[in-house]
Amino acid sequence: MLSVRDAEATILNSIQPLNNQQDIEFVDLLMANGRILATPVNSSLDFPHWDNSAMDGYAVRYADVQQARTDKPIILEVVEEIPAGYQPQVTIKAGQAARIFTGAMMPAGADTVVMQETTHREENRVFIFTAPQPQEFVRHQGDFCQAGSEIVPAGISLTAAEIAVLAATQREQVSVFRLPRVAILSCGNELVMPEQLLKPGQIVDSNQYALATLMRELGAEVLLLGIIQDDPTALEEIIGYAIANADIVISTGGVSVGDYDYIDKILPSLGGKIHFRAVQMRPGKPLTFATFPNSLYFGLPGNPVSALVTCWRFVQPTIKKLAGLSQGWQPTFLKVRSQSELQSNGKMETYIHGKLNLVNGVYQFQKAEGNDSSGNLINLTQTNALAMLPVGKTLVYSGEEVFVLQL
Protein backbone atom coordinates (compact mmCIF):
# COMPACT_ATOMS: atom_id res chain seq x y z
CA MET A 1 0.00 0.00 0.00
CA LEU A 2 1.56 3.28 -1.16
CA SER A 3 1.56 6.54 0.74
CA VAL A 4 -0.44 9.36 -0.84
CA ARG A 5 2.77 11.19 -1.73
CA ASP A 6 4.26 8.13 -3.46
CA ALA A 7 0.99 7.40 -5.27
CA GLU A 8 0.84 10.99 -6.50
CA ALA A 9 4.45 10.87 -7.72
CA THR A 10 3.84 7.56 -9.50
CA ILE A 11 0.82 8.97 -11.31
CA LEU A 12 2.27 12.33 -12.26
CA ASN A 13 5.54 10.81 -13.46
CA SER A 14 3.57 8.50 -15.74
CA ILE A 15 1.85 11.32 -17.60
CA GLN A 16 2.98 12.19 -21.09
CA PRO A 17 1.42 15.60 -21.84
CA LEU A 18 -0.28 16.19 -25.16
CA ASN A 19 2.13 16.85 -28.01
CA ASN A 20 2.26 20.37 -29.43
CA GLN A 21 2.84 18.98 -32.92
CA GLN A 22 0.30 16.16 -33.10
CA ASP A 23 -2.34 17.03 -30.51
CA ILE A 24 -3.33 20.51 -31.60
CA GLU A 25 -6.26 22.13 -33.33
CA PHE A 26 -7.12 25.63 -34.46
CA VAL A 27 -10.18 27.30 -32.98
CA ASP A 28 -11.82 30.65 -33.52
CA LEU A 29 -10.72 33.18 -30.92
CA LEU A 30 -14.22 33.56 -29.48
CA MET A 31 -14.31 29.79 -28.87
CA ALA A 32 -10.90 29.65 -27.17
CA ASN A 33 -11.94 30.50 -23.62
CA GLY A 34 -10.52 27.90 -21.21
CA ARG A 35 -8.48 26.18 -23.92
CA ILE A 36 -4.76 25.62 -23.42
CA LEU A 37 -2.47 27.44 -25.82
CA ALA A 38 -0.25 24.98 -27.70
CA THR A 39 2.32 27.36 -29.17
CA PRO A 40 3.53 30.77 -27.97
CA VAL A 41 2.21 33.83 -29.74
CA ASN A 42 4.50 36.65 -30.86
CA SER A 43 3.17 40.09 -31.61
CA SER A 44 3.09 41.27 -35.20
CA LEU A 45 2.65 44.86 -34.02
CA ASP A 46 4.17 47.42 -31.72
CA PHE A 47 2.00 48.35 -28.71
CA PRO A 48 1.14 51.19 -28.74
CA HIS A 49 1.12 51.19 -32.53
CA TRP A 50 2.15 54.86 -32.53
CA ASP A 51 2.83 57.63 -30.01
CA ASN A 52 -0.49 58.62 -28.43
CA SER A 53 -1.95 60.70 -25.65
CA ALA A 54 -2.80 59.24 -22.25
CA MET A 55 -4.92 62.25 -21.31
CA ASP A 56 -7.41 64.77 -22.67
CA GLY A 57 -5.50 68.02 -23.09
CA TYR A 58 -3.07 69.72 -25.46
CA ALA A 59 -0.15 68.30 -27.42
CA VAL A 60 2.75 70.74 -27.12
CA ARG A 61 6.50 71.13 -27.38
CA TYR A 62 7.99 70.84 -23.91
CA ALA A 63 10.47 73.60 -24.75
CA ASP A 64 7.53 76.00 -25.13
CA VAL A 65 5.86 75.29 -21.79
CA GLN A 66 8.62 74.39 -19.35
CA GLN A 67 8.46 77.85 -17.72
CA ALA A 68 4.67 77.98 -17.34
CA ARG A 69 3.26 78.95 -13.95
CA THR A 70 0.01 80.20 -12.49
CA ASP A 71 1.00 83.88 -12.38
CA LYS A 72 2.72 83.75 -15.77
CA PRO A 73 0.94 81.34 -18.12
CA ILE A 74 2.28 80.39 -21.51
CA ILE A 75 -0.10 81.21 -24.35
CA LEU A 76 -0.09 78.93 -27.42
CA GLU A 77 -2.00 78.95 -30.71
CA VAL A 78 -4.29 75.92 -31.16
CA VAL A 79 -3.76 74.80 -34.77
CA GLU A 80 -5.53 71.40 -34.88
CA GLU A 81 -7.98 69.18 -33.01
CA ILE A 82 -7.09 65.47 -32.84
CA PRO A 83 -9.78 63.02 -31.71
CA ALA A 84 -9.11 59.29 -31.35
CA GLY A 85 -8.95 57.57 -34.73
CA TYR A 86 -7.83 60.69 -36.60
CA GLN A 87 -4.43 61.04 -38.26
CA PRO A 88 -2.88 64.45 -37.49
CA GLN A 89 -2.33 66.71 -40.51
CA VAL A 90 -0.27 69.50 -38.94
CA THR A 91 3.27 69.57 -37.55
CA ILE A 92 3.40 71.44 -34.24
CA LYS A 93 5.84 74.35 -34.39
CA ALA A 94 7.14 76.77 -31.76
CA GLY A 95 4.28 78.59 -30.07
CA GLN A 96 1.65 76.09 -31.25
CA ALA A 97 -0.47 73.35 -29.68
CA ALA A 98 -3.06 70.79 -30.77
CA ARG A 99 -6.21 69.92 -28.87
CA ILE A 100 -5.90 66.18 -28.27
CA PHE A 101 -8.02 63.44 -26.65
CA THR A 102 -7.13 60.25 -24.80
CA GLY A 103 -5.80 57.59 -27.16
CA ALA A 104 -5.37 59.99 -30.06
CA MET A 105 -2.26 59.97 -32.19
CA MET A 106 0.44 62.49 -31.26
CA PRO A 107 1.13 65.07 -33.99
CA ALA A 108 4.60 65.51 -35.40
CA GLY A 109 6.61 68.16 -33.54
CA ALA A 110 4.83 67.66 -30.20
CA ASP A 111 6.52 65.69 -27.42
CA THR A 112 4.36 66.37 -24.33
CA VAL A 113 0.69 66.50 -23.35
CA VAL A 114 -0.63 69.13 -20.94
CA MET A 115 -3.78 67.94 -19.18
CA GLN A 116 -6.79 70.16 -19.81
CA GLU A 117 -7.37 70.78 -16.07
CA THR A 118 -4.28 73.03 -15.96
CA THR A 119 -5.29 75.08 -19.00
CA HIS A 120 -7.81 77.71 -20.09
CA ARG A 121 -9.10 77.97 -23.66
CA GLU A 122 -10.12 81.19 -25.42
CA GLU A 123 -11.07 80.65 -29.06
CA ASN A 124 -7.87 79.49 -30.82
CA ARG A 125 -5.60 80.24 -27.87
CA VAL A 126 -4.80 78.05 -24.86
CA PHE A 127 -3.32 79.32 -21.61
CA ILE A 128 -0.91 76.87 -19.88
CA PHE A 129 -0.74 77.50 -16.11
CA THR A 130 1.46 74.62 -14.94
CA ALA A 131 4.73 73.32 -16.36
CA PRO A 132 4.44 69.59 -17.20
CA GLN A 133 7.17 66.99 -16.98
CA PRO A 134 9.03 66.26 -20.22
CA GLN A 135 7.02 63.78 -22.36
CA GLU A 136 4.28 63.72 -19.74
CA PHE A 137 1.11 61.79 -20.66
CA VAL A 138 2.65 60.45 -23.86
CA ARG A 139 2.55 56.71 -24.53
CA HIS A 140 5.35 55.95 -26.97
CA GLN A 141 5.22 53.44 -29.80
CA GLY A 142 6.44 50.04 -28.57
CA ASP A 143 6.43 51.04 -24.87
CA PHE A 144 4.21 48.07 -23.93
CA CYS A 145 5.43 45.54 -26.46
CA GLN A 146 7.54 45.54 -29.59
CA ALA A 147 6.75 43.61 -32.76
CA GLY A 148 8.31 40.15 -32.70
CA SER A 149 8.28 39.73 -28.91
CA GLU A 150 6.34 36.95 -27.17
CA ILE A 151 3.07 38.18 -25.71
CA VAL A 152 1.29 34.96 -24.70
CA PRO A 153 3.30 31.87 -23.64
CA ALA A 154 2.32 28.32 -24.50
CA GLY A 155 0.88 26.05 -21.84
CA ILE A 156 -1.58 28.47 -20.24
CA SER A 157 -5.35 28.34 -20.05
CA LEU A 158 -6.75 31.19 -22.11
CA THR A 159 -8.96 33.66 -20.26
CA ALA A 160 -10.57 36.97 -21.19
CA ALA A 161 -7.27 38.84 -20.69
CA GLU A 162 -5.24 36.66 -23.07
CA ILE A 163 -8.04 36.56 -25.64
CA ALA A 164 -8.18 40.36 -25.57
CA VAL A 165 -4.43 40.50 -26.25
CA LEU A 166 -4.72 38.00 -29.09
CA ALA A 167 -7.60 39.96 -30.61
CA ALA A 168 -5.51 43.14 -30.43
CA THR A 169 -2.82 41.40 -32.49
CA GLN A 170 -5.49 40.62 -35.10
CA ARG A 171 -5.53 36.86 -34.45
CA GLU A 172 -8.73 35.30 -35.73
CA GLN A 173 -7.77 31.74 -34.76
CA VAL A 174 -5.41 30.27 -32.22
CA SER A 175 -3.54 26.96 -31.89
CA VAL A 176 -4.68 25.01 -28.81
CA PHE A 177 -4.25 21.49 -27.49
CA ARG A 178 -7.11 19.16 -28.26
CA LEU A 179 -9.32 18.28 -25.32
CA PRO A 180 -8.21 15.22 -23.32
CA ARG A 181 -10.58 12.29 -23.82
CA VAL A 182 -11.86 10.62 -20.65
CA ALA A 183 -13.92 7.42 -20.66
CA ILE A 184 -16.08 6.76 -17.60
CA LEU A 185 -17.77 3.52 -16.61
CA SER A 186 -19.44 2.20 -13.46
CA CYS A 187 -19.23 -1.40 -12.28
CA GLY A 188 -21.86 -3.18 -10.22
CA ASN A 189 -25.02 -5.29 -10.47
CA GLU A 190 -26.68 -3.06 -7.88
CA LEU A 191 -26.50 0.10 -10.02
CA VAL A 192 -29.32 1.66 -12.01
CA MET A 193 -29.75 4.90 -13.93
CA PRO A 194 -31.77 7.78 -12.42
CA GLU A 195 -34.75 7.21 -14.71
CA GLN A 196 -35.13 3.56 -13.70
CA LEU A 197 -37.46 2.27 -11.00
CA LEU A 198 -35.48 1.40 -7.87
CA LYS A 199 -35.88 -2.17 -6.66
CA PRO A 200 -34.81 -3.48 -3.25
CA GLY A 201 -31.02 -3.69 -3.05
CA GLN A 202 -30.44 -1.25 -5.93
CA ILE A 203 -28.87 2.24 -5.86
CA VAL A 204 -28.65 5.01 -8.43
CA ASP A 205 -25.29 5.40 -10.16
CA SER A 206 -24.42 8.95 -9.08
CA ASN A 207 -20.70 8.44 -9.70
CA GLN A 208 -21.00 8.64 -13.46
CA TYR A 209 -22.79 11.99 -13.20
CA ALA A 210 -20.36 13.41 -10.66
CA LEU A 211 -17.22 12.35 -12.51
CA ALA A 212 -18.51 13.40 -15.93
CA THR A 213 -19.38 16.83 -14.57
CA LEU A 214 -15.97 17.24 -12.93
CA MET A 215 -14.14 16.12 -16.08
CA ARG A 216 -16.07 18.60 -18.20
CA GLU A 217 -15.34 21.36 -15.70
CA LEU A 218 -11.67 20.51 -16.19
CA GLY A 219 -12.00 20.85 -19.95
CA ALA A 220 -12.09 17.19 -20.92
CA GLU A 221 -14.14 15.49 -23.60
CA VAL A 222 -16.17 12.78 -21.87
CA LEU A 223 -17.08 9.35 -23.23
CA LEU A 224 -19.81 7.83 -21.05
CA LEU A 225 -19.84 4.03 -21.19
CA GLY A 226 -22.64 3.43 -18.71
CA ILE A 227 -23.13 0.73 -16.10
CA ILE A 228 -21.33 -2.56 -16.63
CA GLN A 229 -22.56 -5.63 -14.80
CA ASP A 230 -20.17 -7.69 -12.66
CA ASP A 231 -19.29 -9.97 -15.53
CA PRO A 232 -15.59 -10.40 -16.44
CA THR A 233 -16.26 -10.90 -20.16
CA ALA A 234 -18.41 -7.77 -20.46
CA LEU A 235 -15.95 -5.76 -18.37
CA GLU A 236 -12.96 -6.86 -20.46
CA GLU A 237 -14.73 -5.91 -23.67
CA ILE A 238 -15.76 -2.45 -22.51
CA ILE A 239 -12.41 -1.66 -20.84
CA GLY A 240 -10.61 -2.73 -24.01
CA TYR A 241 -12.79 -0.32 -25.98
CA ALA A 242 -12.18 2.46 -23.45
CA ILE A 243 -8.38 2.25 -23.44
CA ALA A 244 -8.38 2.27 -27.25
CA ASN A 245 -10.49 5.42 -27.46
CA ALA A 246 -9.52 7.59 -24.48
CA ASP A 247 -6.46 9.19 -22.91
CA ILE A 248 -7.77 8.39 -19.43
CA VAL A 249 -10.20 5.69 -18.34
CA ILE A 250 -12.03 6.00 -15.02
CA SER A 251 -14.04 3.18 -13.52
CA THR A 252 -15.79 3.15 -10.17
CA GLY A 253 -16.30 -0.03 -8.19
CA GLY A 254 -14.84 -3.44 -8.82
CA VAL A 255 -11.37 -2.70 -7.41
CA SER A 256 -11.68 -4.00 -3.86
CA VAL A 257 -11.15 -7.59 -2.71
CA GLY A 258 -14.67 -8.93 -3.10
CA ASP A 259 -15.68 -11.97 -5.13
CA TYR A 260 -17.15 -9.70 -7.84
CA ASP A 261 -14.20 -7.31 -8.13
CA TYR A 262 -12.60 -8.19 -11.46
CA ILE A 263 -10.82 -5.02 -12.58
CA ASP A 264 -7.35 -5.89 -11.25
CA LYS A 265 -7.42 -9.21 -13.12
CA ILE A 266 -8.64 -7.73 -16.39
CA LEU A 267 -6.12 -4.89 -16.73
CA PRO A 268 -2.99 -7.10 -17.11
CA SER A 269 -4.81 -9.32 -19.60
CA LEU A 270 -5.29 -6.23 -21.79
CA GLY A 271 -1.61 -5.28 -21.61
CA GLY A 272 -1.81 -2.85 -18.73
CA LYS A 273 0.80 -2.38 -16.04
CA ILE A 274 -0.71 -2.01 -12.59
CA HIS A 275 1.40 0.35 -10.48
CA PHE A 276 -0.58 0.09 -7.26
CA ARG A 277 -3.89 -1.24 -5.93
CA ALA A 278 -4.22 0.61 -2.63
CA VAL A 279 -3.29 3.98 -1.14
CA GLN A 280 -2.78 4.86 2.51
CA MET A 281 -5.69 7.30 2.59
CA ARG A 282 -9.21 7.56 3.92
CA PRO A 283 -11.54 7.64 2.13
CA GLY A 284 -10.15 6.06 -1.01
CA LYS A 285 -7.90 3.20 0.06
CA PRO A 286 -8.92 0.75 -2.73
CA LEU A 287 -7.50 2.73 -5.66
CA THR A 288 -5.98 1.07 -8.72
CA PHE A 289 -3.70 2.92 -11.12
CA ALA A 290 -2.47 1.31 -14.33
CA THR A 291 -0.78 2.46 -17.50
CA PHE A 292 -1.24 1.35 -21.10
CA PRO A 293 0.87 2.50 -24.07
CA ASN A 294 -1.59 5.28 -24.92
CA SER A 295 -3.85 5.50 -21.90
CA LEU A 296 -3.96 5.86 -18.12
CA TYR A 297 -6.39 3.87 -16.01
CA PHE A 298 -7.91 4.87 -12.66
CA GLY A 299 -9.98 2.28 -10.84
CA LEU A 300 -11.73 4.35 -8.18
CA PRO A 301 -13.70 3.04 -5.20
CA GLY A 302 -17.43 2.66 -5.70
CA ASN A 303 -18.54 4.64 -2.64
CA PRO A 304 -19.55 8.09 -3.94
CA VAL A 305 -17.53 10.14 -1.45
CA SER A 306 -14.45 7.96 -1.95
CA ALA A 307 -14.82 8.22 -5.73
CA LEU A 308 -14.95 12.02 -5.70
CA VAL A 309 -12.18 12.45 -3.11
CA THR A 310 -9.76 10.24 -5.05
CA CYS A 311 -10.74 11.97 -8.27
CA TRP A 312 -10.11 15.41 -6.77
CA ARG A 313 -6.82 14.27 -5.25
CA PHE A 314 -5.32 12.31 -8.16
CA VAL A 315 -7.31 12.53 -11.39
CA GLN A 316 -7.79 16.30 -11.36
CA PRO A 317 -4.05 17.13 -11.49
CA THR A 318 -3.60 14.35 -14.05
CA ILE A 319 -6.09 15.96 -16.41
CA LYS A 320 -4.45 19.37 -16.02
CA LYS A 321 -0.94 18.08 -16.71
CA LEU A 322 -2.01 15.84 -19.57
CA ALA A 323 -3.94 18.71 -21.16
CA GLY A 324 -0.72 20.69 -21.67
CA LEU A 325 -0.71 23.13 -18.77
CA SER A 326 2.91 24.14 -18.20
CA GLN A 327 2.30 24.94 -14.54
CA GLY A 328 -0.48 25.13 -11.99
CA TRP A 329 -1.56 21.51 -12.39
CA GLN A 330 -0.21 20.46 -8.98
CA PRO A 331 -2.73 20.15 -6.11
CA THR A 332 -3.01 23.41 -4.16
CA PHE A 333 -2.90 23.13 -0.36
CA LEU A 334 -3.59 26.12 1.87
CA LYS A 335 -2.86 26.40 5.56
CA VAL A 336 -6.06 27.70 7.14
CA ARG A 337 -7.83 27.76 10.49
CA SER A 338 -10.41 25.05 11.12
CA GLN A 339 -13.78 26.10 12.50
CA SER A 340 -14.55 22.45 13.30
CA GLU A 341 -12.98 19.72 15.34
CA LEU A 342 -11.52 17.14 12.92
CA GLN A 343 -10.75 13.53 13.83
CA SER A 344 -8.82 10.63 12.29
CA ASN A 345 -7.60 7.24 13.46
CA GLY A 346 -4.06 8.34 12.56
CA LYS A 347 -3.38 5.24 10.47
CA MET A 348 -4.29 6.81 7.13
CA GLU A 349 -3.85 10.19 5.51
CA THR A 350 -7.39 11.40 6.07
CA TYR A 351 -9.42 13.79 3.91
CA ILE A 352 -12.47 15.49 5.39
CA HIS A 353 -14.75 17.37 3.02
CA GLY A 354 -16.29 20.73 3.79
CA LYS A 355 -16.33 24.40 2.89
CA LEU A 356 -13.54 26.95 2.67
CA ASN A 357 -14.97 30.30 3.78
CA LEU A 358 -13.47 33.78 3.73
CA VAL A 359 -14.19 35.32 7.14
CA ASN A 360 -12.94 38.89 7.78
CA GLY A 361 -10.31 38.43 5.10
CA VAL A 362 -9.06 35.09 6.50
CA TYR A 363 -9.81 31.65 5.05
CA GLN A 364 -11.40 29.18 7.44
CA PHE A 365 -12.48 25.56 6.97
CA GLN A 366 -15.88 24.27 8.08
CA LYS A 367 -16.45 20.50 8.12
CA ALA A 368 -19.58 19.30 6.36
CA GLU A 369 -22.44 18.60 8.73
CA GLY A 370 -23.78 15.13 9.36
CA ASN A 371 -22.29 11.67 9.14
CA ASP A 372 -18.96 11.63 7.29
CA SER A 373 -19.30 8.04 6.04
CA SER A 374 -17.77 7.45 2.61
CA GLY A 375 -21.21 6.33 1.47
CA ASN A 376 -22.96 9.53 2.57
CA LEU A 377 -23.34 11.44 -0.66
CA ILE A 378 -25.83 13.92 0.78
CA ASN A 379 -23.44 16.06 2.81
CA LEU A 380 -21.08 16.50 -0.17
CA THR A 381 -23.20 19.43 -1.37
CA GLN A 382 -21.33 22.75 -1.51
CA THR A 383 -17.99 21.04 -0.84
CA ASN A 384 -15.14 23.20 -2.10
CA ALA A 385 -12.21 21.93 -0.02
CA LEU A 386 -10.75 18.86 1.68
CA ALA A 387 -9.01 19.17 5.04
CA MET A 388 -6.01 16.82 5.18
CA LEU A 389 -4.87 15.12 8.38
CA PRO A 390 -1.51 13.39 7.86
CA VAL A 391 -0.69 9.91 9.11
CA GLY A 392 -0.23 10.04 12.89
CA LYS A 393 -2.49 13.07 13.35
CA THR A 394 -5.64 12.05 15.18
CA LEU A 395 -7.19 15.36 16.18
CA VAL A 396 -7.40 18.95 15.01
CA TYR A 397 -9.10 21.23 17.50
CA SER A 398 -11.48 23.97 16.44
CA GLY A 399 -9.33 27.08 15.96
CA GLU A 400 -6.22 25.04 15.09
CA GLU A 401 -4.56 25.34 11.66
CA VAL A 402 -4.89 22.58 9.10
CA PHE A 403 -3.79 22.03 5.50
CA VAL A 404 -6.69 22.16 3.07
CA LEU A 405 -6.84 21.02 -0.56
CA GLN A 406 -8.64 23.73 -2.48
CA LEU A 407 -10.96 22.24 -5.11
Side-chain angles (χ1 to χ4, degrees), residues 185-193 196 198 201-208 226-230 252-253 302:
L185 59 126
S186 300
C187 308
N189 294 334
E190 76 280 14
L191 301 176
V192 296
M193 297 300 289
Q196 294 178 256
L198 274 177
Q202 293 182 330
I203 59 173
V204 173
D205 175 24
S206 62
N207 286 339
Q208 197 155 180
I227 299 169
I228 314 302
Q229 298 297 300
D230 291 323
T252 56

Side-chain angles (χ1 to χ4, degrees), residues 63-220:
D64 287 344
V65 297
Q66 60 182 321
Q67 302 299 326
R69 60 179 191 263
T70 303
D71 61 342
K72 192 177 181 181
I74 300 295
I75 304 172
L76 303 175
E77 178 189 8
V78 180
V79 296
E80 188 174 27
E81 182 169 298
I82 309 171
Y86 171 81
Q87 184 173 352
Q89 304 296 310
V90 175
T91 297
I92 303 302
K93 299 175 183 177
Q96 295 181 336
R99 177 73 166 114
I100 197 166
F101 297 88
T102 302
M105 192 173 187
M106 288 289 291
D111 57 17
T112 300
V113 172
V114 177
M115 62 190 299
Q116 66 183 28
E117 288 84 351
T118 62
T119 68
H120 173 69
R121 178 79 177 267
E122 291 184 2
E123 297 182 346
N124 69 335
R125 297 188 305 165
V126 61
F127 293 74
I128 312 296
F129 292 100
T130 302
Q133 296 296 313
Q135 303 185 51
E136 190 168 24
F137 300 125
V138 176
R139 297 183 289 218
H140 294 283
Q141 180 175 343
D143 267 358
F144 307 155
C145 167
Q146 296 182 351
S149 59
E150 183 179 299
I151 51 172
V152 186
I156 66 167
S157 178
L158 295 172
T159 67
E162 290 80 31
I163 289 173
V165 170
L166 293 168
T169 63
Q170 298 186 300
R171 297 271 175 157
E172 296 180 64
Q173 291 192 321
V174 64
S175 169
V176 297
F177 288 108
R178 67 169 175 81
L179 300 178
R181 292 184 288 269
V182 180
I184 301 173
L185 59 126
S186 300
C187 308
N189 294 334
E190 76 280 14
L191 301 176
V192 296
M193 297 300 289
E195 66 272 15
Q196 294 178 256
L197 180 66
L198 274 177
K199 297 178 181 179
Q202 293 182 330
I203 59 173
V204 173
D205 175 24
S206 62
N207 286 339
Q208 197 155 180
Y209 285 80
L211 299 180
T213 301
L214 178 57
M215 293 301 103
R216 287 173 178 146
E217 287 176 353
L218 293 169

Side-chain angles (χ1 to χ4, degrees), residues 231-242 266 270:
D231 173 76
T233 302
L235 279 169
E236 184 168 354
E237 181 180 348
I238 200 69
I239 291 173
Y241 174 82
I266 291 171
L270 293 171

Side-chain angles (χ1 to χ4, degrees), residues 312-313 331-334 351 384-387 403-407:
W312 280 321
R313 185 64 183 84
T332 301
F333 283 90
L334 305 175
Y351 290 83
N384 65 3
L386 301 173
F403 280 103
V404 168
L405 175 63
Q406 190 173 17
L407 305 180

Side-chain angles (χ1 to χ4, degrees), residues 126-398:
V126 61
F127 293 74
I128 312 296
F129 292 100
T130 302
Q133 296 296 313
Q135 303 185 51
E136 190 168 24
F137 300 125
V138 176
R139 297 183 289 218
H140 294 283
Q141 180 175 343
D143 267 358
F144 307 155
C145 167
Q146 296 182 351
S149 59
E150 183 179 299
I151 51 172
V152 186
I156 66 167
S157 178
L158 295 172
T159 67
E162 290 80 31
I163 289 173
V165 170
L166 293 168
T169 63
Q170 298 186 300
R171 297 271 175 157
E172 296 180 64
Q173 291 192 321
V174 64
S175 169
V176 297
F177 288 108
R178 67 169 175 81
L179 300 178
R181 292 184 288 269
V182 180
I184 301 173
L185 59 126
S186 300
C187 308
N189 294 334
E190 76 280 14
L191 301 176
V192 296
M193 297 300 289
E195 66 272 15
Q196 294 178 256
L197 180 66
L198 274 177
K199 297 178 181 179
Q202 293 182 330
I203 59 173
V204 173
D205 175 24
S206 62
N207 286 339
Q208 197 155 180
Y209 285 80
L211 299 180
T213 301
L214 178 57
M215 293 301 103
R216 287 173 178 146
E217 287 176 353
L218 293 169
E221 177 184 330
V222 175
L223 176 62
L224 289 175
L225 299 179
I227 299 169
I228 314 302
Q229 298 297 300
D230 291 323
D231 173 76
T233 302
L235 279 169
E236 184 168 354
E237 181 180 348
I238 200 69
I239 291 173
Y241 174 82
I243 61 178
N245 289 278
D247 302 297
I248 294 175
V249 180
I250 304 174
S251 66
T252 56
V255 293
S256 191
V257 293
D259 292 342
Y260 297 96
D261 295 325
Y262 301 114
I263 298 294
D264 288 351
K265 300 180 182 67
I266 291 171
L267 298 180
S269 72
L270 293 171
K273 178 183 178 181
I274 296 180
H275 295 268
F276 57 82
R277 294 182 173 88
V279 180
Q280 193 179 7
M281 68 182 291
R282 177 181 177 271
K285 175 185 172 183
L287 171 66
T288 293
F289 174 69
T291 54
F292 292 83
N294 297 303
S295 185
L296 304 175
Y297 192 98
F298 290 90
L300 308 184
N303 281 327
V305 176
S306 301
L308 261 177
V309 168
T310 50
C311 197
W312 280 321
R313 185 64 183 84
F314 298 115
V315 185
Q316 183 166 272
T318 298
I319 292 287
K320 292 180 179 180
K321 184 177 180 181
L322 175 72
L325 275 177
S326 59
Q327 56 185 359
W329 43 262
Q330 301 90 340
T332 301
F333 283 90
L334 305 175
K335 195 172 187 179
V336 305
R337 199 166 301 282
S338 178
Q339 294 177 298
S340 310
E341 183 177 284
L342 310 175
Q343 297 182 6
S344 165
N345 63 14
K347 298 177 181 179
M348 302 275 186
E349 185 164 304
T350 300
Y351 290 83
I352 299 172
H353 56 276
K355 291 182 67 176
L356 192 61
N357 301 306
L358 191 61
V359 180
N360 297 324
V362 177
Y363 278 112
Q364 298 183 359
F365 177 79
Q366 177 70 52
K367 175 182 175 292
E369 296 181 1
N371 188 294
D372 62 356
S373 163
S374 61
N376 183 5
L377 178 66
I378 303 305
N379 71 349
L380 269 178
T381 58
Q382 300 185 69
T383 292
N384 65 3
L386 301 173
M388 187 276 289
L389 276 64
V391 175
K393 184 75 170 178
T394 59
L395 182 64
V396 172
Y397 292 103
S398 177

